[in-house]
Amino acid sequence: MPAKLLIANRGEIAVRILRAAAELGMRTVAVFSQDDAESLHRRSADESCALAKAGAAAYLDIDAILRAAKDTGCDAIHPGYGFLSENADFARRCADANLTFVGPRPEVLALFSDKAEARALAERLGAADFFNALPATGAMLIKAIGGGGGRGMRVVQRREELKDAYARCQSEARAAFGNGDVYVEQFLPRARHVEVQIVGDGSGAVSHLGERDCSIQRRHQKLVEIAPAPGLPDGLRQRLATAATTLASSVRYDNIGTFEFLVDASTLSAGSPFAFIEANPRLQVEHTVTEEVYGVDLVAIQLELAGGRSLAALGLLQADVPAPRGVAIQARINMETMQADGAARPSSGTLSAFVPACGPGIRVDTFGYAGYTPSGRFDALLAKLIACHPSGRFEYAVSRLQRALAEFYVAGVAVNIPFLQRLVQHPAFRNAAFHTRFLDDHLAELVVPDDRASVAPASSSTPTEPVAAREQPSPPPVEPPEPKPAAQSPRRIDKPHGTVPVASPLQGTIVSVEVREGATVRTGQLLVVVESMKMEHEVHANVEGVVRRVVVDEGGVINAGEPLLFVEAAA
C-alpha cells in the first residue's frame, strides 16, 4: 500500500481522493496551479506544492508533477479524471521514477485511451459487430482519440461544417489532453448512453459493479447520471455487463474502468441491439452513484489494487458482489447560465454564500466554500449533488433530488440549479423516458430567459413521496467575505472613430485570432476563438467591413461583453 500519495488533479475530485487516502492512513500532497492557490483541495491535503503554470497547462505538465512528487517524498500518484489520467506516457514516466501510478498499466492505458484502437478490439471480440444495426442518421460525430467529457467532440450535419468542426475538435483535445488526434463515428440521436463499471486486478479476473445511465447530456457533456439504469430489461443489463467484462478480461485489466455503450432507445428489450463506443481507463465523474447503490468506495479500491491486493482479497470477485440496493441520481451543479438556444455561458464571481443540501440519502462532493473565487480557466463543475433512495423506485429518488436542489443555496455566482429543477420535474424525465437528445428536444420547456424564475411544484398526481419544489430558500444572513480582486478587471479601450465593436459573448481565454488589422471581413466570417469551460466557441463577424483594431492576444483572458476587435462597417 502506498504511504504518501500525490494527487495530480484539482477541484472536487482532488478533495474526494484526499478523503479516501486519509481513511486508509496515507499522507497526501496536493499540487495547485497559479490560479488555484485558494482551491479547497490545497487546504485539504497534508502538504501542497505550487506548479509554475496557470490553468489546465499546469496539471498537464508531466515534468513538474513528477518533480513535485520526488521533492515531497511521495511513492504514488493518483491522476483523478481528465488531465493526465489516460496518458500512457505519464504512467510510464511514473514507473521509471519508482512511483506507483494509481490506474491501469501503461499498455492498457495506451489501448483504451486510443478510442479507435479500443473500437477495433471490441469488433474483434464481437462486442461491436451490431453497430450498424442501430438507426443511421446521415450525420457524423468527430471525437478526440485521447479523452472525453465532451471536449474534442462535434456533431457534423452538413459537409460545409466539417472543416471548422475538425479544427475545433483538434484544438480542444490538444488543450485538454495533450493529444489532438480525432476519429469519426456514426451519430445516433435516439440512443440511451449506458456504461458499465468494471474492476480488475491484472490476473485476468474482472468483475462488474452494474451500470449507469448517462443519457442526459448537453453538447456531449453529462449533466445527470443514474445507477442502476432505469427501465433497462434485465437481459440487456447482463449482455452489457458481459460485453464489458469480456473486453476487460481480454487485456488482463487492472484497477477500475468504465465501458460505454449506446442502446437503441426506441425499442428496449432483452435483445435490443447496442454498440460499444469507448472505454475510460480511469475514475469517472459519476462514480458516486455506483458507490451509493453498491456500498463501496471506488477510490479506496483503486488505491488498494495499486498496492497489490487482489479482487479475492477485497471481496470483489463477481460471486461476492452484492446486488445493487436502491437507486441513486447525480446532478452536476455548474457555474453557468443557460441561454434560450440551450448554450451554456460560464459565470464568475465570488461565492458570497454556499450552503449545500443535506439530509437522509443526500451526498455532496464539492470544492466550493463561502468566500472562494473560482478560476475561469477550468471547467464549470462546482458540485455534484447525489440523491439515493433505498426503495429502488426511481421516482422516489427523483423527488429526493428535487427537494435537495430546492435546499441547495448558492450566492455570488450564477449556477444551473433552476435548470436542473425544471429538468427533474419534467414528466418524461420522471418516467425515465429519455435519450441522449432529450435536452435538445425539450429546450423550450426547460430554458427560460430568467433563471431566477420560480419553479412550479411537482404534480400531485405523480406517485412520489410528498415534496414541494420551490425557489431556493434564503438562509439566515451571512457576513459577506472581504472583497477579492476579480480574475481580470474590465478593460478600458478607446473605440476607434467610425467603428463598431465585436464583443466576446462569454468569459474565457483567447485561443486564436483569425484576422489582422486592415483585413476586410464578410458577415459570418470567423474572427476569434474563445475557450471557456474546456470548450471552444467561435465568434463570427456580424457586419461586413474592415478590421481597424484588434485588442486581444492569444492566451489572454476576456470577460463577457468586452470588445475583441473593432470593425469599420462597409457603406
Side-chain angles (χ1 to χ4, degrees):
M1 178 73 68
K4 193 170 186 180
L5 179 71
L6 182 140
I7 294 85
N9 217 296
R10 64 174 301 278
E12 61 83 20
I13 192 59
V15 175
R16 168 73 184 89
I17 296 166
L18 287 163
R19 288 171 175 162
E23 291 180 4
L24 292 174
M26 297 179 188
R27 298 279 297 172
T28 55
V29 176
V31 291
F32 61 94
S33 63
Q34 292 177 353
D35 45 356
D36 241 358
E38 299 302 317
S39 188
L40 185 63
H41 78 281
R42 180 192 177 187
R43 302 182 180 189
S44 302
D46 296 313
E47 302 173 43
S48 62
C49 185
L51 300 172
K53 298 178 181 178
Y59 299 98
L60 290 170
D61 191 334
I62 293 177
D63 290 334
I65 289 172
L66 293 177
R67 186 163 54 250
K70 179 179 178 180
D71 291 346
T72 55
C74 291
D75 57 352
I77 294 181
H78 196 305
Y81 56 70
F83 298 131
L84 295 171
S85 62
E86 297 184 47
N87 191 305
D89 182 54
F90 179 54
R92 293 188 192 98
R93 294 279 303 277
C94 287
D96 292 343
N98 293 319
L99 292 165
T100 298
F101 177 83
V102 183
R105 305 185 308 280
E107 58 268 30
V108 174
L109 279 178
L111 171 62
F112 287 119
S113 62
D114 185 325
K115 311 305 182 188
E117 287 297 319
R119 173 70 59 79
L121 173 64
E123 290 174 348
R124 290 196 299 271
L125 295 176
D129 290 343
F130 23 69
F131 186 81
N132 291 327
L134 293 173
T137 65
M140 68 173 67
L141 182 66
I142 304 176
K143 298 178 69 174
I145 286 276
R151 276 90 69 192
M153 296 177 66
R154 288 288 193 284
V155 174
V156 178
Q157 303 276 8
R158 300 186 302 274
R159 181 182 296 274
E160 55 268 27
E161 299 173 345
L162 181 58
K163 182 179 178 181
D164 286 344
Y166 179 69
R168 297 281 67 76
C169 286
Q170 283 195 311
S171 181
E172 285 178 359
R174 192 177 298 111
F177 315 113
N179 181 357
D181 294 340
V182 298
Y183 70 104
V184 172
E185 67 180 26
Q186 181 185 357
F187 176 59
L188 306 171
R190 291 294 183 272
R192 290 273 292 271
H193 184 140
V194 182
E195 60 187 30
V196 178
Q197 177 70 61
I198 63 96
V199 56
D201 59 14
S203 69
V206 173
S207 300
H208 72 85
L209 296 172
E211 81 289 334
R212 301 182 285 257
D213 190 295
C214 307
S215 301
I216 302 296
Q217 303 176 5
R218 181 197 59 221
R219 290 189 65 185
H220 315 294
Q221 291 183 310
K222 301 166 185 174
L223 283 180
V224 176
E225 298 98 349
I226 307 157
L232 212 63
D234 287 340
L236 182 55
R237 292 182 204 274
Q238 187 56 53
R239 290 171 57 223
L240 289 168
T242 299
T245 53
T246 298
L247 281 164
S249 297
S250 72
V251 296
R252 295 189 299 109
Y253 196 99
D254 53 330
N255 218 268
I256 72 170
T258 302
F259 288 74
E260 304 196 353
F261 303 88
L262 292 180
V263 178
D264 187 354
S266 59
T267 55
L268 282 181
S269 67
S272 290
F274 62 86
F276 169 75
I277 51 174
E278 66 182 32
N280 291 298
R282 54 170 170 80
L283 189 68
Q284 291 276 80
V285 178
E286 58 273 17
H287 72 278
T288 57
V289 290
T290 296
E291 291 184 328
E292 293 304 312
V293 298
Y294 278 92
V296 297
D297 183 329
L298 287 172
V299 179
I301 290 171
Q302 284 189 289
L303 294 169
E304 297 267 22
L305 289 169
R309 299 196 70 188
S310 66
L311 293 187
L314 294 173
L316 287 174
L317 293 175
Q318 195 66 64
D320 301 322
V321 175
R325 179 176 181 267
V327 61
I329 312 173
Q330 172 177 283
R332 302 192 189 191
I333 296 177
N334 295 330
M335 297 173 286
E336 64 186 20
T337 57
M338 293 286 289
Q339 309 302 299
D341 63 356
R345 293 289 181 261
S347 56
S348 60
T350 297
L351 293 168
S352 56
F354 186 77
V355 185
C358 57
I362 299 299
R363 167 180 170 179
V364 177
D365 284 17
T366 185
F367 66 113
Y369 61 89
Y372 176 54
T373 304
S375 170
R377 291 182 178 269
F378 301 102
D379 67 32
L381 181 62
L382 176 64
K384 302 186 304 195
L385 174 61
I386 303 98
C388 52
H389 202 284
S391 70
R393 294 278 296 274
F394 177 64
E395 63 270 29
Y396 282 11
V398 172
S399 292
R400 187 164 280 182
L401 177 62
Q402 184 177 328
R403 179 186 294 113
L405 285 166
E407 294 174 356
F408 206 123
Y409 183 75
V410 180
V413 178
V415 294
N416 65 338
I417 288 178
F419 174 79
L420 292 170
Q421 288 178 291
R422 287 188 289 274
L423 169 63
V424 301
Q425 289 182 85
H426 195 284
F429 179 84
R430 299 185 74 91
N431 291 325
F434 40 68
H435 49 76
T436 54
R437 301 285 287 179
F438 180 86
L439 294 187
D440 295 311
D441 290 352
H442 297 283
L443 275 179
E445 305 158 73
L446 299 175
V447 178
V448 296
D450 186 353
D451 258 349
R452 292 172 299 178
S454 62
V455 181
S459 169
S460 59
S461 63
T462 305
T464 64
E465 295 179 314
V467 62
R470 308 177 181 89
E471 291 184 84
Q472 295 182 64
S474 297
V478 295
E479 190 68 26
E482 289 294 321
K484 296 183 179 181
Q488 178 180 338
S489 301
R491 298 173 302 152
R492 295 183 179 179
I493 298 172
D494 294 329
K495 182 173 78 71
H497 179 70
T499 64
V500 294
V502 176
S504 176
L506 71 171
Q507 174 188 318
T509 303
I510 305 301
V511 175
S512 65
V513 180
E514 302 294 331
V515 293
R516 295 182 179 180
E517 292 181 356
T520 299
V521 296
R522 65 184 185 280
T523 302
Q525 181 176 338
L526 176 62
L527 302 178
V528 179
V529 178
V530 182
E531 183 272 330
S532 181
M533 302 192 304
K534 297 185 180 178
M535 304 292 287
E536 295 187 0
H537 305 263
E538 298 179 348
V539 180
H540 297 265
N542 56 7
V543 64
E544 293 185 1
V546 178
V547 177
R548 293 304 183 195
R549 188 177 179 192
V550 177
V551 295
V552 294
D553 297 305
E554 293 184 8
V557 177
I558 188 81
N559 292 323
E562 290 186 343
L564 299 162
L565 48 83
F566 293 89
V567 176
E568 180 182 344

